[in-house]
Amino acid sequence: MTLNVLVWGENRHEQIEPHVREIYPDGMHETIAAGIRENLSDAKVSTTTLDEPEHGLTDEVLAGTDVLVWWGHAAHGEVDDKVVDRVYQHVLSGMGLIVLHSGHWSKIFGKLMGTTCTLRWRSERDRELVWTINPTHPIAQGVPHPIVIEQQEMYGEFFDIPVPDELVFVSSFSGGEVFRSGCTFRRGHGKIFYFSPGDQDYPVYHHKDVRKVIANGVKWARTDLPERALPTLLRYETDDFFNGHGYSGPIEEPADA
Amino acid sequence: MTLNVLVWGENRHEQIEPHVREIYPDGMHETIAAGIRENLSDAKVSTTTLDEPEHGLTDEVLAGTDVLVWWGHAAHGEVDDKVVDRVYQHVLSGMGLIVLHSGHWSKIFGKLMGTTCTLRWRSERDRELVWTINPTHPIAQGVPHPIVIEQQEMYGEFFDIPVPDELVFVSSFSGGEVFRSGCTFRRGHGKIFYFSPGDQDYPVYHHKDVRKVIANGVKWARTDLPERALPTLLRYETDDFFNGHGYSGPIEEPADA
Amino acid sequence: MTLNVLVWGENRHEQIEPHVREIYPDGMHETIAAGIRENLSDAKVSTTTLDEPEHGLTDEVLAGTDVLVWWGHAAHGEVDDKVVDRVYQHVLSGMGLIVLHSGHWSKIFGKLMGTTCTLRWRSERDRELVWTINPTHPIAQGVPHPIVIEQQEMYGEFFDIPVPDELVFVSSFSGGEVFRSGCTFRRGHGKIFYFSPGDQDYPVYHHKDVRKVIANGVKWARTDLPERALPTLLRYETDDFFNGHGYSGPIEEPADA
Amino acid sequence: MTLNVLVWGENRHEQIEPHVREIYPDGMHETIAAGIRENLSDAKVSTTTLDEPEHGLTDEVLAGTDVLVWWGHAAHGEVDDKVVDRVYQHVLSGMGLIVLHSGHWSKIFGKLMGTTCTLRWRSERDRELVWTINPTHPIAQGVPHPIVIEQQEMYGEFFDIPVPDELVFVSSFSGGEVFRSGCTFRRGHGKIFYFSPGDQDYPVYHHKDVRKVIANGVKWARTDLPERALPTLLRYETDDFFNGHGYSGPIEEPADA
């Protein structure tokens, strides 16, 4: 069954910074998309960017997206709150979400986490080693232990996220910092994978193993539910487990009204 | 060391519904506060309500509160977003938070969870049995297994919350439903305990064991950190682990500006 | 790819107790196997029992088994320790394991858990309701919420197991008890699913939804690793991440020998 | 209330290797004990060693011990299985257990974990940085982020343990490896803390911050239960939640006996 994937890229650095354009002539979003197509033969992968109308994330587009992949950095604040809420509803209803690198500070990730999602950082060409902490996890399959990334931006703990449902990878950097670089979360009916390697200043999204992990994450994040559905508050009569009733309000008619 | 506790109650049902006023003549918030004082001799417990200016939750009040206890139901929507955000910042900075019963649907709990926090329900005098799933947890100490609550509102799964950091209690109801009734979460530097028993229509907050659990939760939720501090994003030079620098922006001067 | 499944049944109750033989004329193990075949078209399902040589669990058999399903009750103590250890090594090396009902007290489950695995119980035809706590989990797909089992043996908390990696189901019983009835664990390179419904005195393994869950569990438990491998202690030279060396002993030649 | 702590040390390296005797003239066990006394004023700390009768771990000694601290390395195999089982029963009954460094491969830790507890290693004077992943945890209080240990034995992932209940610290080493160095587990009624820093070849147990963490761990591991009690399997009649009955056997008299 076709796996519909949409890669959302901010596409600002590529416009403004020549050195980024050199590393990612097609834009980070297209590079990430190519990596997914390479690894998942049944995936139909599209891309869209911040500057499209509605940031390319209409309700129709989201309804047809099994997994959304998010890369943002310089313009988190420009993402429209209405669109963020739309994406949020779709994730809670069953759309998978992959959040990459600086996406840790995106509105959508923060909304789903409920924390600041802050961390420590430095961009000085540290070597990153991505170690597998959960060797039987589907996301960890097909990559070496460790994945070696010669030049990367350092991200370090304390990474202010809720305790991940599953910790798949932990990275170290030349400077000695460590970071929980591969984490899964379930929110509502949606599955989320956060993966930190990647930065506009380094060719990380061309890295064979990074592309493999992102593809594994996309495959994992697709829902097992038969259809999209938002968890809802319903009332159930005694012994009737299968017919819920909508909420009519918290206060009964006041007796002394 | 004095433990400063503030019990926030909506105090609407008590005004509008005589049968609630009968069960809780001092208001639910005062009843809950009395239960905490009974069990924690070093606690200084105050109360405040929705209709106070700023809902009684000024920055000064919050800064002096070690643990905030929250009960709301009919008027979640009336809680000012600015106040919600203020409470949120304080929790992430180290203020403990206890969320009770229908508080599952409060703005503050939803913001910290990142999910709908919906559930199934029925108010038909089910008997609730609160079973201990984590017998060595400090919150579970000093209460029977199970806690028997003769009349209660039923809450049932699927309770749309993130997987709790710790599952302390699971309840069953006469009708057969089950619910994760005692859950802990850490968000930022704050500790949160959600405890479901309690409803305006039943005298649950007079129940000896329910009062004991709430007090245990308050004691547990007090921070171990020396002072309140919000997790922050900082840059760290190589080999300088202890001096972080503020964030100056994501984009360097464009070379072709 | 063929999924090789082996259902291990104690097959003692069926011999000794006529009422059990009536409910399970082919034995519980064959009934469970039939349920798996019904639901997994690519599964090749065999059965074996306690009284076979080596309990039917030779190294060769285990090496060819992707997932082992275990039901035991009256004769846990008769399972040979050497065989238990053999199964243990295979699970840690990647063989999946499904433990059913009274198997909670089997030697193999206890060895993998490290706890007493005790619980509370009663066999008085309680109705069991199996509620889904993790609706997006693959094991929870395709069954109603709740699964209704008209007559069952009650299992109640405190179930002395380590905190499960994932809590999939929680059950309630007519008497009011609750139990964490569907739990996953990873041990070494192996995946384990414990599912409590089922008892020799009730026709639970003929129940459509119970058979579906067991099949889901079997499918989930199959390893994603390319081959079976036991985690091993190895020494690694600096900067050589991929060539581990065997352990030669903890003490160097004493300088004053 | 006095906290009774017993530090168990193998005390073999100290006898055999002069360089170890130089670093730890009183033995590692006495050094560790001194660190605990320094940090916990209400602790009464004793030590014992492998070569004592019953390894110093009689039932009477264990019954009077609130928290047992374990360091072993070269002689894991010499610890008597009967004594291991005795310690195991006491931990499951409520005795706290701190396992240090090479104790990862002790019989007692392996029995409680149910896995191989293997890892990768190298002893080449790597610098270890111990980073706090859970800043609000009591065990993480009062130490810098990171703790800097100039010379240490490297331990690296994949550390074959079950997913920890709580991940408190993650370490990095000069060579780039990472390791989950501070982990908590609950087993039965007992609390366990595993902390990896420390090795006979380096003066780690003299390190101020390492001593602080061990003391924090000891304090955390003391039970909150009123008395020691092993989880037990009991039968409960319908509606009688508080009077359990002992297990009388799995098979009723065969009807056709």
Side-chain angles (χ1 to χ4, degrees):
Chain A
M1 208 178 94
T2 310
L3 172 54
N4 293 301
V5 187
L6 178 63
V7 181
W8 189 92
E10 199 180 77
N11 197 32
R12 284 294 171 79
H13 286 280
E14 294 90 326
Q15 312 295 337
I16 302 170
E17 301 187 287
H19 73 276
V20 176
R21 208 178 310 144
E22 261 190 65
I23 303 171
Y24 296 109
D26 299 319
M28 265 176 281
H29 47 291
E30 276 298 336
T31 311
I32 292 165
I36 297 169
R37 289 185 202 107
E38 241 165 54
N39 284 289
L40 296 180
S41 51
D42 63 344
K44 183 153 159 278
V45 192
S46 324
T47 65
T48 191
T49 63
L50 174 69
D51 290 323
E52 292 295 317
E54 308 269 350
H55 310 314
L57 303 168
T58 63
D59 202 64
E60 190 181 2
V61 164
L62 293 173
T65 302
D66 294 311
V67 182
L68 174 68
V69 182
W70 191 282
W71 195 98
H73 183 222
H76 294 308
E78 290 188 45
V79 182
D80 195 283
D81 287 348
K82 274 198 349 283
V83 175
V84 173
D85 192 67
R86 191 183 299 150
V87 173
Y88 175 76
Q89 299 296 328
H90 275 273
V91 172
L92 295 189
S93 301
M95 182 175 76
L97 179 69
I98 312 298
V99 179
L100 301 176
H101 190 60
S102 39
H104 73 88
W105 234 11
S106 63
K107 287 183 177 181
I108 183 60
F109 190 65
K111 194 171 168 76
L112 288 161
M113 292 299 108
T115 56
T116 66
C117 302
T118 52
L119 39 78
R120 58 169 70 188
W121 72 281
R122 163 184 64 245
S123 190
E124 295 287 342
R125 302 194 198 79
D126 279 69
R127 175 186 70 176
E128 175 171 1
L129 300 174
V130 185
W131 297 91
T132 296
I133 303 304
N134 192 335
T136 61
H137 201 281
I139 295 180
Q141 302 312 309
V143 292
H145 175 66
I147 296 172
V148 182
I149 307 176
E150 289 302 340
Q151 297 196 353
Q152 243 288 75
E153 174 178 24
M154 176 283 284
Y155 273 6
E157 296 284 343
F158 171 59
F159 183 23
D160 181 24
I161 49 170
V163 175
D165 289 12
E166 295 169 307
L167 180 61
V168 188
F169 301 109
V170 169
S171 289
S172 71
F173 296 85
S174 322
E177 290 84 0
V178 302
F179 195 72
R180 286 166 292 166
S181 45
C183 305
T184 74
F185 305 89
R186 287 170 200 256
R187 292 291 184 271
H189 290 150
K191 291 186 280 185
I192 301 157
F193 174 54
Y194 173 77
F195 188 51
S196 59
D199 189 86
Q200 69 283 358
D201 290 337
Y202 308 107
V204 183
Y205 293 116
H206 294 285
H207 191 302
K208 170 167 165 290
D209 301 322
V210 170
R211 287 156 83 99
K212 175 64 175 165
V213 170
I214 292 173
N216 288 345
V218 165
K219 184 175 176 194
W220 169 85
R222 187 213 313 233
T223 190
D224 287 303
L225 297 184
E227 63 188 20
R228 203 151 290 182
L230 188 69
T232 310
L233 190 136
L234 295 169
R235 183 169 59 83
Y236 287 80
E237 309 287 5
T238 307
D239 272 332
D240 182 3
F241 303 121
F242 304 109
N243 298 295
H245 307 280
Y247 190 59
S248 55
I251 298 194
E252 311 188 23
E253 274 212 336
D256 57 346
Chain B
M1 210 177 92
T2 310
L3 173 55
N4 293 301
V5 186
L6 177 63
V7 180
W8 189 92
E10 199 179 77
N11 196 32
R12 283 295 171 79
H13 287 279
E14 293 91 327
Q15 312 296 335
I16 303 170
E17 301 188 286
H19 73 275
V20 175
R21 208 178 310 142
E22 259 191 66
I23 304 172
Y24 296 109
D26 297 321
M28 266 176 281
H29 47 290
E30 275 299 335
T31 311
I32 291 165
I36 299 170
R37 289 186 203 106
E38 240 165 55
N39 284 287
L40 295 180
S41 51
D42 63 343
K44 182 153 159 276
V45 192
S46 324
T47 64
T48 191
T49 63
L50 174 70
D51 291 324
E52 290 295 317
E54 308 268 349
H55 310 313
L57 302 168
T58 62
D59 202 64
E60 190 182 1
V61 165
L62 293 173
T65 301
D66 293 311
V67 181
L68 174 67
V69 182
W70 191 280
W71 194 99
H73 182 222
H76 294 308
E78 290 188 45
V79 182
D80 194 283
D81 287 348
K82 273 203 343 287
V83 175
V84 173
D85 193 66
R86 191 184 300 149
V87 173
Y88 176 75
Q89 299 295 329
H90 275 273
V91 173
L92 294 188
S93 302
M95 183 175 74
L97 179 68
I98 312 298
V99 179
L100 300 177
H101 191 60
S102 40
H104 73 87
W105 233 11
S106 63
K107 288 182 177 181
I108 182 61
F109 190 66
K111 195 172 169 75
L112 288 160
M113 292 299 107
T115 56
T116 66
C117 302
T118 52
L119 40 76
R120 60 168 67 189
W121 72 282
R122 162 184 66 244
S123 191
E124 296 285 344
R125 298 195 201 77
D126 279 70
R127 176 186 69 175
E128 174 172 2
L129 300 174
V130 185
W131 298 90
T132 295
I133 304 304
N134 193 336
T136 61
H137 201 282
I139 295 180
Q141 303 312 309
V143 292
H145 175 67
I147 296 173
V148 182
I149 307 177
E150 289 303 339
Q151 297 195 354
Q152 244 288 73
E153 172 178 27
M154 178 282 284
Y155 274 5
E157 295 284 344
F158 171 61
F159 183 23
D160 181 25
I161 48 170
V163 175
D165 290 12
E166 296 169 306
L167 180 60
V168 187
F169 300 109
V170 169
S171 289
S172 71
F173 296 85
S174 323
E177 290 84 1
V178 301
F179 195 73
R180 285 167 293 166
S181 45
C183 305
T184 74
F185 306 89
R186 287 169 199 259
R187 292 290 184 270
H189 291 149
K191 291 187 280 184
I192 301 157
F193 174 54
Y194 172 78
F195 188 52
S196 59
D199 189 86
Q200 69 283 356
D201 290 337
Y202 308 106
V204 182
Y205 294 116
H206 294 286
H207 192 302
K208 170 167 164 291
D209 301 322
V210 170
R211 286 156 85 99
K212 175 65 174 163
V213 170
I214 293 173
N216 288 345
V218 165
K219 185 176 177 195
W220 169 85
R222 181 203 328 224
T223 190
D224 287 302
L225 297 182
E227 61 188 21
R228 202 149 293 182
L230 188 69
T232 311
L233 190 135
L234 295 169
R235 183 169 58 84
Y236 287 80
E237 309 287 2
T238 308
D239 273 331
D240 182 1
F241 303 121
F242 304 110
N243 298 294
H245 307 281
Y247 190 58
S248 55
I251 299 193
E252 309 189 25
E253 274 211 338
D256 58 347
Chain C
M1 209 177 94
T2 310
L3 172 55
N4 293 302
V5 186
L6 177 63
V7 180
W8 189 93
E10 199 181 76
N11 197 33
R12 284 294 172 78
H13 286 279
E14 295 89 328
Q15 312 295 337
I16 302 170
E17 302 189 286
H19 73 276
V20 175
R21 208 179 309 143
E22 260 190 66
I23 303 172
Y24 296 109
D26 299 320
M28 266 176 281
H29 47 289
E30 275 298 335
T31 311
I32 291 165
I36 298 169
R37 289 186 202 106
E38 240 165 55
N39 284 288
L40 296 180
S41 51
D42 64 343
K44 182 151 160 278
V45 192
S46 323
T47 65
T48 192
T49 62
L50 174 69
D51 291 325
E52 292 295 317
E54 307 269 348
H55 310 313
L57 302 168
T58 62
D59 202 64
E60 190 182 0
V61 165
L62 293 173
T65 301
D66 294 312
V67 182
L68 174 68
V69 183
W70 191 281
W71 195 98
H73 182 221
H76 294 309
E78 290 188 45
V79 181
D80 194 283
D81 286 348
K82 274 203 340 289
V83 175
V84 173
D85 192 66
R86 191 183 299 149
V87 173
Y88 176 75
Q89 299 295 329
H90 275 273
V91 173
L92 294 189
S93 301
M95 182 175 76
L97 179 69
I98 312 298
V99 179
L100 300 177
H101 190 61
S102 40
H104 74 87
W105 234 10
S106 63
K107 288 182 177 182
I108 182 60
F109 190 65
K111 195 171 167 75
L112 288 161
M113 292 299 108
T115 56
T116 65
C117 303
T118 52
L119 39 76
R120 59 169 68 190
W121 72 281
R122 163 185 62 246
S123 191
E124 294 288 342
R125 301 193 200 78
D126 279 71
R127 175 186 70 175
E128 176 171 2
L129 300 174
V130 185
W131 298 90
T132 296
I133 303 304
N134 192 337
T136 61
H137 201 282
I139 296 180
Q141 303 312 309
V143 292
H145 176 66
I147 297 172
V148 183
I149 308 176
E150 290 302 341
Q151 298 196 354
Q152 243 289 74
E153 174 178 25
M154 177 283 285
Y155 273 5
E157 296 284 343
F158 171 59
F159 183 23
D160 181 23
I161 48 169
V163 175
D165 290 12
E166 296 169 306
L167 180 60
V168 188
F169 301 108
V170 169
S171 289
S172 71
F173 295 86
S174 322
E177 290 84 1
V178 303
F179 195 72
R180 287 166 292 166
S181 45
C183 304
T184 74
F185 306 89
R186 288 170 199 257
R187 292 291 183 271
H189 291 149
K191 291 187 280 185
I192 302 157
F193 174 54
Y194 172 77
F195 188 52
S196 59
D199 189 85
Q200 70 282 358
D201 292 336
Y202 308 106
V204 183
Y205 293 117
H206 294 286
H207 191 301
K208 169 168 165 292
D209 301 323
V210 170
R211 286 155 85 99
K212 175 64 174 165
V213 170
I214 292 173
N216 289 344
V218 165
K219 184 176 178 196
W220 169 85
R222 182 207 321 229
T223 190
D224 288 304
L225 297 183
E227 63 188 21
R228 204 152 290 183
L230 188 69
T232 310
L233 190 135
L234 294 169
R235 182 169 59 84
Y236 286 80
E237 309 288 3
T238 307
D239 272 333
D240 182 0
F241 302 122
F242 303 111
N243 298 295
H245 306 279
Y247 190 59
S248 54
I251 298 194
E252 310 187 26
E253 274 211 338
D256 59 347
Chain D
M1 209 176 92
T2 311
L3 173 55
N4 293 302
V5 186
L6 177 63
V7 180
W8 189 92
E10 199 179 76
N11 197 32
R12 284 293 173 78
H13 287 279
E14 294 90 327
Q15 312 296 337
I16 303 170
E17 302 188 287
H19 73 274
V20 175
R21 208 177 309 141
E22 260 190 66
I23 303 173
Y24 297 108
D26 298 321
M28 266 177 281
H29 47 290
E30 275 299 336
T31 311
I32 291 166
I36 298 170
R37 287 184 204 110
E38 241 165 55
N39 284 289
L40 295 180
S41 51
D42 64 342
K44 183 152 158 278
V45 192
S46 325
T47 65
T48 191
T49 63
L50 174 70
D51 292 323
E52 291 295 316
E54 307 270 351
H55 311 312
L57 303 168
T58 62
D59 201 64
E60 190 181 2
V61 164
L62 293 173
T65 301
D66 293 312
V67 181
L68 174 67
V69 182
W70 191 280
W71 194 98
H73 183 222
H76 294 309
E78 291 188 44
V79 182
D80 194 282
D81 287 347
K82 271 199 349 288
V83 175
V84 172
D85 193 66
R86 190 183 300 150
V87 173
Y88 175 75
Q89 299 296 328
H90 275 273
V91 172
L92 295 188
S93 301
M95 182 174 74
L97 179 68
I98 312 298
V99 179
L100 300 177
H101 191 60
S102 40
H104 74 88
W105 234 12
S106 64
K107 288 183 177 183
I108 182 61
F109 190 65
K111 194 172 169 75
L112 288 160
M113 292 299 107
T115 55
T116 65
C117 302
T118 52
L119 40 75
R120 60 169 67 190
W121 71 281
R122 162 184 65 245
S123 190
E124 296 286 343
R125 299 193 201 80
D126 278 69
R127 177 186 68 175
E128 175 173 1
L129 299 174
V130 185
W131 297 91
T132 295
I133 304 305
N134 192 337
T136 61
H137 201 282
I139 294 180
Q141 302 312 309
V143 291
H145 176 65
I147 296 172
V148 183
I149 307 177
E150 289 302 339
Q151 297 194 355
Q152 244 288 73
E153 173 178 24
M154 178 282 284
Y155 274 4
E157 296 286 343
F158 170 60
F159 184 23
D160 180 24
I161 48 170
V163 175
D165 290 13
E166 296 168 306
L167 180 60
V168 187
F169 301 109
V170 169
S171 290
S172 71
F173 296 85
S174 323
E177 290 84 1
V178 302
F179 195 72
R180 285 167 292 166
S181 45
C183 305
T184 74
F185 306 89
R186 285 168 201 260
R187 292 291 184 271
H189 291 149
K191 290 186 280 184
I192 301 158
F193 174 54
Y194 172 78
F195 189 51
S196 60
D199 189 84
Q200 70 283 358
D201 291 338
Y202 308 106
V204 182
Y205 294 116
H206 294 285
H207 192 302
K208 171 168 165 288
D209 300 323
V210 170
R211 286 155 84 99
K212 174 64 175 164
V213 170
I214 293 173
N216 288 346
V218 165
K219 184 176 178 196
W220 169 84
R222 184 210 318 232
T223 190
D224 287 303
L225 297 182
E227 62 189 20
R228 202 151 293 183
L230 188 68
T232 310
L233 190 135
L234 295 170
R235 184 170 57 84
Y236 288 79
E237 310 288 3
T238 308
D239 273 331
D240 181 2
F241 303 122
F242 304 111
N243 299 296
H245 306 280
Y247 189 59
S248 54
I251 299 192
E252 311 189 23
E253 274 211 337
D256 59 347

